[in-house]
Amino acid sequence: MTRVRILQQGTIHCFPAGLKDSDGNYVNVEVSAVAYDGKSLMLASDKPIPGEGRSAVFKLPLDSRGPDDTRLEYLTQAKIKQAVKYEDFALTTNGRYMIATTGFDRIDDHTHDLNDYNHLLVWPVGEPEQVQVVDPDPRDGVEGSLELRRKMTAAVGEPYYKIEGLAAIPSDKGDGLLLFGIREQGKSHDDFTYQRRVIGAHFIVNDSHNLEFIDALHDVYSFDPCDHEGVRYECALSSIEYDPYHGQIYLLTSFETEIDGEEVIGGYLWVMPLEDFHAGKEPTLVTLEDGTPLEFEHKAEGLAVLDQERLFVAYDNDRNHQLGSVDERDERHSCEALYTILGLA
């Protein structure tokens, strides 16, 4: 299952064209998270989508023609709207719960102004009105997964980090092992190194439908893509996805660099059996059918397993509006998110 073919590419209209924020600036969708619950695609932008009836998290049906954005629905529950900078989704291994993480890449030690960037949320699939904050600060009235952030900081070992991957995999402890993928870590947001590091902790979902960790966050896995001859650019972890159909795990990496004054973005996809993941072995670089490395032309940030034969890739190109091979038009609109559906060869 290391070779793929491109089945479909396209764009998703995520909000009305020309939408502006409170400062009068055009809103740009930057999809960084995607999951598929068997019925709907769940997507999230790492930038807010303003409006009383909107949020950065939305869902839409997927049929044989692709995502149907004419039936897009926003998740507008207060806790979901409050969290900022969504980076990844995960389904529990039994498929009953959706878990969402923000980036955890900023905090204010003196105020609660940046708490919204530090959220891990969980809700029963199809019931977002039951959303809960995981591992909150024990003090009443303080929103955010601030106790979890304290545990993350201890596990990472440095004051700055950015979480961009999330996956739940089977385990003989509790209800599974929850994995967090680290993309950046260092002393500060302007003094860091790119990472392909995974930390995790075992968890249960309790009778109140909230997630509880039953042991400490610890190092689980890391690898260096630069050692692979098919990788042309330094890349960092952008998503983790468990494939229950084949008992394997996907690692999505993306890159953003500059060559001769021109921005170059893209990504690579890696796969490995769960036993190799636990053994710390190197993943396999996914290729096209002819054996050449699959190098995404856009910044691949979200990955979802659709079924036994298909994967869904979402892109977060930030302010880059190039469409490339996705569409014959020159540029995407700010309200459009790009995607690719891959078939396992």
PDB file of all heavy atoms in Angstrom, residues 89-122:
ATOM      1  N   PHE A  89      -7.622  16.601  13.391  1.00  0.00           N
ATOM      2  CA  PHE A  89      -8.703  15.808  13.975  1.00  0.00           C
ATOM      3  C   PHE A  89      -8.249  14.363  14.103  1.00  0.00           C
ATOM      4  O   PHE A  89      -7.329  13.911  13.403  1.00  0.00           O
ATOM      5  CB  PHE A  89      -9.940  15.812  13.069  1.00  0.00           C
ATOM      6  CG  PHE A  89     -10.677  17.106  12.969  1.00  0.00           C
ATOM      7  CD1 PHE A  89     -10.955  17.657  11.731  1.00  0.00           C
ATOM      8  CD2 PHE A  89     -11.119  17.773  14.099  1.00  0.00           C
ATOM      9  CE1 PHE A  89     -11.653  18.842  11.616  1.00  0.00           C
ATOM     10  CE2 PHE A  89     -11.818  18.970  14.002  1.00  0.00           C
ATOM     11  CZ  PHE A  89     -12.083  19.496  12.754  1.00  0.00           C
ATOM     12  N   ALA A  90      -8.934  13.621  14.970  1.00  0.00           N
ATOM     13  CA  ALA A  90      -8.730  12.174  15.065  1.00  0.00           C
ATOM     14  C   ALA A  90     -10.030  11.528  15.502  1.00  0.00           C
ATOM     15  O   ALA A  90     -10.798  12.112  16.278  1.00  0.00           O
ATOM     16  CB  ALA A  90      -7.617  11.846  16.063  1.00  0.00           C
ATOM     17  N   LEU A  91     -10.273  10.334  15.022  1.00  0.00           N
ATOM     18  CA  LEU A  91     -11.368   9.518  15.512  1.00  0.00           C
ATOM     19  C   LEU A  91     -10.818   8.511  16.513  1.00  0.00           C
ATOM     20  O   LEU A  91      -9.700   7.992  16.328  1.00  0.00           O
ATOM     21  CB  LEU A  91     -12.027   8.757  14.366  1.00  0.00           C
ATOM     22  CG  LEU A  91     -12.977   9.529  13.457  1.00  0.00           C
ATOM     23  CD1 LEU A  91     -13.299   8.692  12.232  1.00  0.00           C
ATOM     24  CD2 LEU A  91     -14.259   9.907  14.191  1.00  0.00           C
ATOM     25  N   THR A  92     -11.569   8.238  17.582  1.00  0.00           N
ATOM     26  CA  THR A  92     -11.169   7.141  18.455  1.00  0.00           C
ATOM     27  C   THR A  92     -11.234   5.851  17.642  1.00  0.00           C
ATOM     28  O   THR A  92     -11.929   5.777  16.631  1.00  0.00           O
ATOM     29  CB  THR A  92     -12.085   7.049  19.682  1.00  0.00           C
ATOM     30  OG1 THR A  92     -13.455   7.008  19.242  1.00  0.00           O
ATOM     31  CG2 THR A  92     -11.878   8.244  20.608  1.00  0.00           C
ATOM     32  N   THR A  93     -10.508   4.837  18.074  1.00  0.00           N
ATOM     33  CA  THR A  93     -10.392   3.623  17.268  1.00  0.00           C
ATOM     34  C   THR A  93     -11.728   2.893  17.094  1.00  0.00           C
ATOM     35  O   THR A  93     -11.894   2.137  16.136  1.00  0.00           O
ATOM     36  CB  THR A  93      -9.360   2.661  17.875  1.00  0.00           C
ATOM     37  OG1 THR A  93      -9.705   2.394  19.242  1.00  0.00           O
ATOM     38  CG2 THR A  93      -7.970   3.279  17.819  1.00  0.00           C
ATOM     39  N   ASN A  94     -12.682   3.131  17.987  1.00  0.00           N
ATOM     40  CA  ASN A  94     -14.004   2.524  17.817  1.00  0.00           C
ATOM     41  C   ASN A  94     -14.922   3.382  16.943  1.00  0.00           C
ATOM     42  O   ASN A  94     -16.079   3.015  16.698  1.00  0.00           O
ATOM     43  CB  ASN A  94     -14.665   2.255  19.174  1.00  0.00           C
ATOM     44  CG  ASN A  94     -14.862   3.524  20.008  1.00  0.00           C
ATOM     45  OD1 ASN A  94     -14.728   4.644  19.510  1.00  0.00           O
ATOM     46  ND2 ASN A  94     -15.159   3.344  21.290  1.00  0.00           N
ATOM     47  N   GLY A  95     -14.419   4.536  16.480  1.00  0.00           N
ATOM     48  CA  GLY A  95     -15.173   5.401  15.589  1.00  0.00           C
ATOM     49  C   GLY A  95     -16.293   6.170  16.244  1.00  0.00           C
ATOM     50  O   GLY A  95     -17.083   6.832  15.557  1.00  0.00           O
ATOM     51  N   ARG A  96     -16.356   6.161  17.573  1.00  0.00           N
ATOM     52  CA  ARG A  96     -17.492   6.777  18.260  1.00  0.00           C
ATOM     53  C   ARG A  96     -17.268   8.241  18.626  1.00  0.00           C
ATOM     54  O   ARG A  96     -18.248   8.978  18.832  1.00  0.00           O
ATOM     55  CB  ARG A  96     -17.822   5.989  19.530  1.00  0.00           C
ATOM     56  CG  ARG A  96     -18.335   4.574  19.263  1.00  0.00           C
ATOM     57  CD  ARG A  96     -18.610   3.863  20.576  1.00  0.00           C
ATOM     58  NE  ARG A  96     -19.537   4.623  21.423  1.00  0.00           N
ATOM     59  CZ  ARG A  96     -19.725   4.380  22.711  1.00  0.00           C
ATOM     60  NH1 ARG A  96     -19.041   3.411  23.305  1.00  0.00           N
ATOM     61  NH2 ARG A  96     -20.587   5.105  23.404  1.00  0.00           N
ATOM     62  N   TYR A  97     -16.028   8.680  18.721  1.00  0.00           N
ATOM     63  CA  TYR A  97     -15.749  10.043  19.187  1.00  0.00           C
ATOM     64  C   TYR A  97     -14.800  10.764  18.243  1.00  0.00           C
ATOM     65  O   TYR A  97     -13.853  10.166  17.710  1.00  0.00           O
ATOM     66  CB  TYR A  97     -15.149  10.025  20.596  1.00  0.00           C
ATOM     67  CG  TYR A  97     -16.112   9.544  21.646  1.00  0.00           C
ATOM     68  CD1 TYR A  97     -16.217   8.194  21.960  1.00  0.00           C
ATOM     69  CD2 TYR A  97     -16.955  10.435  22.312  1.00  0.00           C
ATOM     70  CE1 TYR A  97     -17.117   7.735  22.913  1.00  0.00           C
ATOM     71  CE2 TYR A  97     -17.858   9.999  23.259  1.00  0.00           C
ATOM     72  CZ  TYR A  97     -17.941   8.650  23.559  1.00  0.00           C
ATOM     73  OH  TYR A  97     -18.847   8.206  24.487  1.00  0.00           O
ATOM     74  N   MET A  98     -15.066  12.067  18.065  1.00  0.00           N
ATOM     75  CA  MET A  98     -14.192  12.946  17.309  1.00  0.00           C
ATOM     76  C   MET A  98     -13.348  13.749  18.298  1.00  0.00           C
ATOM     77  O   MET A  98     -13.866  14.268  19.297  1.00  0.00           O
ATOM     78  CB  MET A  98     -15.014  13.904  16.440  1.00  0.00           C
ATOM     79  CG  MET A  98     -14.193  14.781  15.519  1.00  0.00           C
ATOM     80  SD  MET A  98     -13.460  13.880  14.148  1.00  0.00           S
ATOM     81  CE  MET A  98     -14.937  13.445  13.205  1.00  0.00           C
ATOM     82  N   ILE A  99     -12.057  13.838  18.018  1.00  0.00           N
ATOM     83  CA  ILE A  99     -11.139  14.607  18.853  1.00  0.00           C
ATOM     84  C   ILE A  99     -10.513  15.682  17.971  1.00  0.00           C
ATOM     85  O   ILE A  99     -10.157  15.414  16.818  1.00  0.00           O
ATOM     86  CB  ILE A  99     -10.038  13.714  19.455  1.00  0.00           C
ATOM     87  CG1 ILE A  99     -10.635  12.447  20.065  1.00  0.00           C
ATOM     88  CG2 ILE A  99      -9.244  14.479  20.507  1.00  0.00           C
ATOM     89  CD1 ILE A  99      -9.588  11.419  20.468  1.00  0.00           C
ATOM     90  N   ALA A 100     -10.380  16.875  18.488  1.00  0.00           N
ATOM     91  CA  ALA A 100      -9.802  17.988  17.734  1.00  0.00           C
ATOM     92  C   ALA A 100      -8.745  18.685  18.577  1.00  0.00           C
ATOM     93  O   ALA A 100      -8.937  18.876  19.791  1.00  0.00           O
ATOM     94  CB  ALA A 100     -10.891  18.990  17.339  1.00  0.00           C
ATOM     95  N   THR A 101      -7.653  19.066  17.941  1.00  0.00           N
ATOM     96  CA  THR A 101      -6.610  19.800  18.661  1.00  0.00           C
ATOM     97  C   THR A 101      -6.285  21.110  17.971  1.00  0.00           C
ATOM     98  O   THR A 101      -6.343  21.208  16.739  1.00  0.00           O
ATOM     99  CB  THR A 101      -5.319  18.960  18.793  1.00  0.00           C
ATOM    100  OG1 THR A 101      -4.403  19.631  19.654  1.00  0.00           O
ATOM    101  CG2 THR A 101      -4.644  18.730  17.443  1.00  0.00           C
ATOM    102  N   THR A 102      -5.954  22.093  18.775  1.00  0.00           N
ATOM    103  CA  THR A 102      -5.383  23.331  18.262  1.00  0.00           C
ATOM    104  C   THR A 102      -3.859  23.200  18.317  1.00  0.00           C
ATOM    105  O   THR A 102      -3.323  22.165  18.690  1.00  0.00           O
ATOM    106  CB  THR A 102      -5.844  24.541  19.088  1.00  0.00           C
ATOM    107  OG1 THR A 102      -5.383  24.387  20.445  1.00  0.00           O
ATOM    108  CG2 THR A 102      -7.367  24.659  19.089  1.00  0.00           C
ATOM    109  N   GLY A 103      -3.152  24.280  17.957  1.00  0.00           N
ATOM    110  CA  GLY A 103      -1.706  24.195  17.809  1.00  0.00           C
ATOM    111  C   GLY A 103      -0.891  24.229  19.083  1.00  0.00           C
ATOM    112  O   GLY A 103       0.277  23.833  19.084  1.00  0.00           O
ATOM    113  N   PHE A 104      -1.477  24.735  20.196  1.00  0.00           N
ATOM    114  CA  PHE A 104      -0.747  24.852  21.462  1.00  0.00           C
ATOM    115  C   PHE A 104       0.581  25.608  21.279  1.00  0.00           C
ATOM    116  O   PHE A 104       1.543  25.368  22.004  1.00  0.00           O
ATOM    117  CB  PHE A 104      -0.471  23.467  22.068  1.00  0.00           C
ATOM    118  CG  PHE A 104      -1.677  22.813  22.694  1.00  0.00           C
ATOM    119  CD1 PHE A 104      -2.571  22.093  21.912  1.00  0.00           C
ATOM    120  CD2 PHE A 104      -1.929  22.923  24.055  1.00  0.00           C
ATOM    121  CE1 PHE A 104      -3.691  21.495  22.468  1.00  0.00           C
ATOM    122  CE2 PHE A 104      -3.044  22.320  24.634  1.00  0.00           C
ATOM    123  CZ  PHE A 104      -3.923  21.603  23.829  1.00  0.00           C
ATOM    124  N   ASP A 105       0.625  26.529  20.325  1.00  0.00           N
ATOM    125  CA  ASP A 105       1.897  27.176  19.996  1.00  0.00           C
ATOM    126  C   ASP A 105       2.075  28.555  20.619  1.00  0.00           C
ATOM    127  O   ASP A 105       3.044  29.248  20.308  1.00  0.00           O
ATOM    128  CB  ASP A 105       2.072  27.278  18.479  1.00  0.00           C
ATOM    129  CG  ASP A 105       0.988  28.117  17.813  1.00  0.00           C
ATOM    130  OD1 ASP A 105      -0.109  28.249  18.393  1.00  0.00           O
ATOM    131  OD2 ASP A 105       1.241  28.634  16.713  1.00  0.00           O
ATOM    132  N   ARG A 106       1.156  28.944  21.488  1.00  0.00           N
ATOM    133  CA  ARG A 106       1.313  30.239  22.164  1.00  0.00           C
ATOM    134  C   ARG A 106       0.508  30.239  23.451  1.00  0.00           C
ATOM    135  O   ARG A 106      -0.539  29.615  23.552  1.00  0.00           O
ATOM    136  CB  ARG A 106       0.901  31.390  21.247  1.00  0.00           C
ATOM    137  CG  ARG A 106      -0.561  31.411  20.856  1.00  0.00           C
ATOM    138  CD  ARG A 106      -0.805  32.269  19.638  1.00  0.00           C
ATOM    139  NE  ARG A 106      -0.334  31.597  18.429  1.00  0.00           N
ATOM    140  CZ  ARG A 106      -0.416  32.135  17.210  1.00  0.00           C
ATOM    141  NH1 ARG A 106      -0.934  33.354  17.055  1.00  0.00           N
ATOM    142  NH2 ARG A 106       0.001  31.469  16.161  1.00  0.00           N
ATOM    143  N   ILE A 107       1.015  30.955  24.423  1.00  0.00           N
ATOM    144  CA  ILE A 107       0.371  31.114  25.725  1.00  0.00           C
ATOM    145  C   ILE A 107       0.879  32.388  26.351  1.00  0.00           C
ATOM    146  O   ILE A 107       1.997  32.823  26.074  1.00  0.00           O
ATOM    147  CB  ILE A 107       0.646  29.891  26.648  1.00  0.00           C
ATOM    148  CG1 ILE A 107      -0.300  29.872  27.852  1.00  0.00           C
ATOM    149  CG2 ILE A 107       2.095  29.874  27.083  1.00  0.00           C
ATOM    150  CD1 ILE A 107      -1.708  29.549  27.534  1.00  0.00           C
ATOM    151  N   ASP A 108       0.059  33.016  27.142  1.00  0.00           N
ATOM    152  CA  ASP A 108       0.466  34.195  27.914  1.00  0.00           C
ATOM    153  C   ASP A 108       0.523  33.776  29.377  1.00  0.00           C
ATOM    154  O   ASP A 108      -0.485  33.382  29.958  1.00  0.00           O
ATOM    155  CB  ASP A 108      -0.541  35.335  27.713  1.00  0.00           C
ATOM    156  CG  ASP A 108      -0.053  36.652  28.300  1.00  0.00           C
ATOM    157  OD1 ASP A 108       0.519  36.640  29.414  1.00  0.00           O
ATOM    158  OD2 ASP A 108      -0.243  37.698  27.655  1.00  0.00           O
ATOM    159  N   ASP A 109       1.692  33.853  29.958  1.00  0.00           N
ATOM    160  CA  ASP A 109       1.863  33.400  31.338  1.00  0.00           C
ATOM    161  C   ASP A 109       1.227  34.324  32.366  1.00  0.00           C
ATOM    162  O   ASP A 109       1.093  33.953  33.539  1.00  0.00           O
ATOM    163  CB  ASP A 109       3.360  33.259  31.656  1.00  0.00           C
ATOM    164  CG  ASP A 109       4.024  32.156  30.846  1.00  0.00           C
ATOM    165  OD1 ASP A 109       3.325  31.174  30.524  1.00  0.00           O
ATOM    166  OD2 ASP A 109       5.217  32.285  30.519  1.00  0.00           O
ATOM    167  N   HIS A 110       0.836  35.514  31.950  1.00  0.00           N
ATOM    168  CA  HIS A 110       0.314  36.497  32.902  1.00  0.00           C
ATOM    169  C   HIS A 110      -1.183  36.757  32.755  1.00  0.00           C
ATOM    170  O   HIS A 110      -1.818  37.262  33.682  1.00  0.00           O
ATOM    171  CB  HIS A 110       1.080  37.817  32.758  1.00  0.00           C
ATOM    172  CG  HIS A 110       2.566  37.665  32.906  1.00  0.00           C
ATOM    173  ND1 HIS A 110       3.173  37.344  34.105  1.00  0.00           N
ATOM    174  CD2 HIS A 110       3.567  37.749  31.992  1.00  0.00           C
ATOM    175  CE1 HIS A 110       4.487  37.262  33.940  1.00  0.00           C
ATOM    176  NE2 HIS A 110       4.743  37.496  32.670  1.00  0.00           N
ATOM    177  N   THR A 111      -1.731  36.452  31.577  1.00  0.00           N
ATOM    178  CA  THR A 111      -3.167  36.638  31.359  1.00  0.00           C
ATOM    179  C   THR A 111      -3.728  35.372  30.705  1.00  0.00           C
ATOM    180  O   THR A 111      -3.000  34.436  30.387  1.00  0.00           O
ATOM    181  CB  THR A 111      -3.444  37.840  30.433  1.00  0.00           C
ATOM    182  OG1 THR A 111      -3.084  37.479  29.080  1.00  0.00           O
ATOM    183  CG2 THR A 111      -2.641  39.064  30.861  1.00  0.00           C
ATOM    184  N   HIS A 112      -5.027  35.383  30.492  1.00  0.00           N
ATOM    185  CA  HIS A 112      -5.670  34.274  29.800  1.00  0.00           C
ATOM    186  C   HIS A 112      -5.973  34.620  28.349  1.00  0.00           C
ATOM    187  O   HIS A 112      -6.779  33.955  27.691  1.00  0.00           O
ATOM    188  CB  HIS A 112      -6.960  33.885  30.521  1.00  0.00           C
ATOM    189  CG  HIS A 112      -6.740  33.400  31.920  1.00  0.00           C
ATOM    190  ND1 HIS A 112      -5.914  32.343  32.210  1.00  0.00           N
ATOM    191  CD2 HIS A 112      -7.231  33.845  33.105  1.00  0.00           C
ATOM    192  CE1 HIS A 112      -5.907  32.134  33.517  1.00  0.00           C
ATOM    193  NE2 HIS A 112      -6.694  33.036  34.084  1.00  0.00           N
ATOM    194  N   ASP A 113      -5.304  35.651  27.813  1.00  0.00           N
ATOM    195  CA  ASP A 113      -5.620  36.161  26.482  1.00  0.00           C
ATOM    196  C   ASP A 113      -5.400  35.134  25.373  1.00  0.00           C
ATOM    197  O   ASP A 113      -6.068  35.190  24.338  1.00  0.00           O
ATOM    198  CB  ASP A 113      -4.797  37.413  26.180  1.00  0.00           C
ATOM    199  CG  ASP A 113      -5.175  38.590  27.069  1.00  0.00           C
ATOM    200  OD1 ASP A 113      -6.236  38.511  27.720  1.00  0.00           O
ATOM    201  OD2 ASP A 113      -4.422  39.577  27.109  1.00  0.00           O
ATOM    202  N   LEU A 114      -4.461  34.219  25.550  1.00  0.00           N
ATOM    203  CA  LEU A 114      -4.115  33.267  24.498  1.00  0.00           C
ATOM    204  C   LEU A 114      -4.559  31.837  24.807  1.00  0.00           C
ATOM    205  O   LEU A 114      -4.130  30.891  24.151  1.00  0.00           O
ATOM    206  CB  LEU A 114      -2.601  33.300  24.240  1.00  0.00           C
ATOM    207  CG  LEU A 114      -2.027  34.658  23.819  1.00  0.00           C
ATOM    208  CD1 LEU A 114      -0.516  34.559  23.613  1.00  0.00           C
ATOM    209  CD2 LEU A 114      -2.695  35.151  22.537  1.00  0.00           C
ATOM    210  N   ASN A 115      -5.423  31.691  25.792  1.00  0.00           N
ATOM    211  CA  ASN A 115      -5.887  30.352  26.165  1.00  0.00           C
ATOM    212  C   ASN A 115      -6.584  29.629  25.017  1.00  0.00           C
ATOM    213  O   ASN A 115      -6.539  28.396  24.932  1.00  0.00           O
ATOM    214  CB  ASN A 115      -6.847  30.421  27.354  1.00  0.00           C
ATOM    215  CG  ASN A 115      -6.151  30.742  28.656  1.00  0.00           C
ATOM    216  OD1 ASN A 115      -4.956  30.999  28.673  1.00  0.00           O
ATOM    217  ND2 ASN A 115      -6.896  30.743  29.742  1.00  0.00           N
ATOM    218  N   ASP A 116      -7.228  30.395  24.121  1.00  0.00           N
ATOM    219  CA  ASP A 116      -8.005  29.774  23.056  1.00  0.00           C
ATOM    220  C   ASP A 116      -7.138  28.983  22.080  1.00  0.00           C
ATOM    221  O   ASP A 116      -7.658  28.164  21.313  1.00  0.00           O
ATOM    222  CB  ASP A 116      -8.804  30.829  22.301  1.00  0.00           C
ATOM    223  CG  ASP A 116      -9.880  31.475  23.165  1.00  0.00           C
ATOM    224  OD1 ASP A 116     -10.166  30.931  24.253  1.00  0.00           O
ATOM    225  OD2 ASP A 116     -10.423  32.520  22.768  1.00  0.00           O
ATOM    226  N   TYR A 117      -5.832  29.223  22.083  1.00  0.00           N
ATOM    227  CA  TYR A 117      -4.903  28.480  21.219  1.00  0.00           C
ATOM    228  C   TYR A 117      -4.507  27.139  21.836  1.00  0.00           C
ATOM    229  O   TYR A 117      -3.703  26.416  21.246  1.00  0.00           O
ATOM    230  CB  TYR A 117      -3.645  29.309  20.961  1.00  0.00           C
ATOM    231  CG  TYR A 117      -3.881  30.539  20.117  1.00  0.00           C
ATOM    232  CD1 TYR A 117      -4.319  31.726  20.681  1.00  0.00           C
ATOM    233  CD2 TYR A 117      -3.674  30.505  18.744  1.00  0.00           C
ATOM    234  CE1 TYR A 117      -4.535  32.859  19.908  1.00  0.00           C
ATOM    235  CE2 TYR A 117      -3.885  31.629  17.959  1.00  0.00           C
ATOM    236  CZ  TYR A 117      -4.316  32.805  18.557  1.00  0.00           C
ATOM    237  OH  TYR A 117      -4.526  33.920  17.768  1.00  0.00           O
ATOM    238  N   ASN A 118      -5.045  26.823  22.996  1.00  0.00           N
ATOM    239  CA  ASN A 118      -4.659  25.629  23.741  1.00  0.00           C
ATOM    240  C   ASN A 118      -5.890  24.802  24.100  1.00  0.00           C
ATOM    241  O   ASN A 118      -6.338  24.777  25.238  1.00  0.00           O
ATOM    242  CB  ASN A 118      -3.910  26.044  25.019  1.00  0.00           C
ATOM    243  CG  ASN A 118      -2.656  26.833  24.708  1.00  0.00           C
ATOM    244  OD1 ASN A 118      -1.581  26.274  24.561  1.00  0.00           O
ATOM    245  ND2 ASN A 118      -2.796  28.160  24.620  1.00  0.00           N
ATOM    246  N   HIS A 119      -6.427  24.123  23.111  1.00  0.00           N
ATOM    247  CA  HIS A 119      -7.633  23.326  23.323  1.00  0.00           C
ATOM    248  C   HIS A 119      -7.504  21.940  22.711  1.00  0.00           C
ATOM    249  O   HIS A 119      -7.060  21.790  21.571  1.00  0.00           O
ATOM    250  CB  HIS A 119      -8.856  23.999  22.677  1.00  0.00           C
ATOM    251  CG  HIS A 119      -9.511  25.029  23.524  1.00  0.00           C
ATOM    252  ND1 HIS A 119      -8.974  26.271  23.743  1.00  0.00           N
ATOM    253  CD2 HIS A 119     -10.676  25.015  24.215  1.00  0.00           C
ATOM    254  CE1 HIS A 119      -9.786  26.978  24.534  1.00  0.00           C
ATOM    255  NE2 HIS A 119     -10.823  26.221  24.825  1.00  0.00           N
ATOM    256  N   LEU A 120      -7.890  20.942  23.486  1.00  0.00           N
ATOM    257  CA  LEU A 120      -8.171  19.612  22.972  1.00  0.00           C
ATOM    258  C   LEU A 120      -9.643  19.368  23.265  1.00  0.00           C
ATOM    259  O   LEU A 120     -10.071  19.468  24.421  1.00  0.00           O
ATOM    260  CB  LEU A 120      -7.302  18.551  23.650  1.00  0.00           C
ATOM    261  CG  LEU A 120      -7.419  17.136  23.073  1.00  0.00           C
ATOM    262  CD1 LEU A 120      -6.823  17.074  21.666  1.00  0.00           C
ATOM    263  CD2 LEU A 120      -6.736  16.108  23.981  1.00  0.00           C
ATOM    264  N   LEU A 121     -10.414  19.080  22.227  1.00  0.00           N
ATOM    265  CA  LEU A 121     -11.855  18.924  22.351  1.00  0.00           C
ATOM    266  C   LEU A 121     -12.272  17.513  21.963  1.00  0.00           C
ATOM    267  O   LEU A 121     -11.618  16.866  21.137  1.00  0.00           O
ATOM    268  CB  LEU A 121     -12.585  19.918  21.448  1.00  0.00           C
ATOM    269  CG  LEU A 121     -12.292  21.406  21.658  1.00  0.00           C
ATOM    270  CD1 LEU A 121     -13.020  22.239  20.606  1.00  0.00           C
ATOM    271  CD2 LEU A 121     -12.683  21.850  23.057  1.00  0.00           C
ATOM    272  N   VAL A 122     -13.366  17.047  22.536  1.00  0.00           N
ATOM    273  CA  VAL A 122     -13.902  15.735  22.189  1.00  0.00           C
ATOM    274  C   VAL A 122     -15.424  15.797  22.196  1.00  0.00           C
ATOM    275  O   VAL A 122     -16.019  16.505  23.016  1.00  0.00           O
ATOM    276  CB  VAL A 122     -13.385  14.649  23.171  1.00  0.00           C
ATOM    277  CG1 VAL A 122     -13.875  14.898  24.586  1.00  0.00           C
ATOM    278  CG2 VAL A 122     -13.797  13.251  22.704  1.00  0.00           C
TER     279      VAL A 122
END
